[in-house]
Amino acid sequence: MGLSFSEAFGNHTIPHETVMNNAINVLGLENLAQLVPFTVDEVKAALAAGDTALNSLPIKEWDYAAGFIINGNNVQPIPCQLSGLLVQHGIDAWSPSQCVSLLKTVARLVAEKGCETNGMV
């Protein structure tokens, strides 16, 4: 049996930023940046407008990239590259919010730091 996202990267007892950084360090910024469903320019525009949570970008697209279709209380996991990446690293349990948060953290990092990746265009 594998690990959960929280077991692999940290849970509520450590700062959220640390959990996300642990995940990025293990999974790879380059790998994760390719999975962000928005361009660098779209993310930069949201950040420039003061949206540090990136909530102005459609949540359904974040959910889909994170491997979930959510309709009200109905949450349906779907195959996606992120789930494949997690499984590759021995992680077999995660939540939509953990995955969306990870993708948003990666999007902010790439947009703010100007990190060079082959992912977000």
Side-chain angles (χ1 to χ4, degrees):
M1 186 166 136
L3 300 170
S4 71
F5 190 98
S6 295
E7 290 168 333
F9 306 125
N11 60 28
H12 67 281
T13 64
I14 64 174
H16 180 74
E17 183 178 327
T18 302
V19 174
M20 292 300 119
N21 286 336
N22 290 344
I24 291 167
N25 289 336
V26 170
L27 301 173
L29 180 63
E30 178 82 20
N31 295 330
L32 293 166
Q34 297 176 42
L35 309 180
V36 172
F38 300 98
T39 66
V40 171
D41 287 342
E42 289 171 318
V43 173
K44 283 182 176 180
L47 292 170
D51 180 15
T52 57
L54 302 178
N55 289 333
S56 60
L57 300 173
I59 188 62
K60 288 195 181 296
E61 290 186 47
W62 288 114
D63 290 340
Y64 192 78
F68 296 91
I69 295 174
I70 301 174
N71 189 5
N73 290 331
N74 183 21
V75 178
Q76 177 185 354
I78 56 172
C80 73
Q81 291 178 302
L82 180 54
S83 61
L85 187 60
L86 290 166
V87 168
Q88 257 182 348
H89 287 84
I91 299 148
D92 63 6
W94 54 85
S95 72
S97 63
Q98 288 169 320
C99 292
V100 168
S101 184
L102 178 59
L103 292 176
K104 285 184 173 187
T105 300
V106 167
R108 278 191 300 276
L109 183 62
V110 171
E112 290 172 349
K113 308 278 194 256
C115 298
E116 292 299 317
T117 71
N118 292 328
M120 296 167 56
V121 183

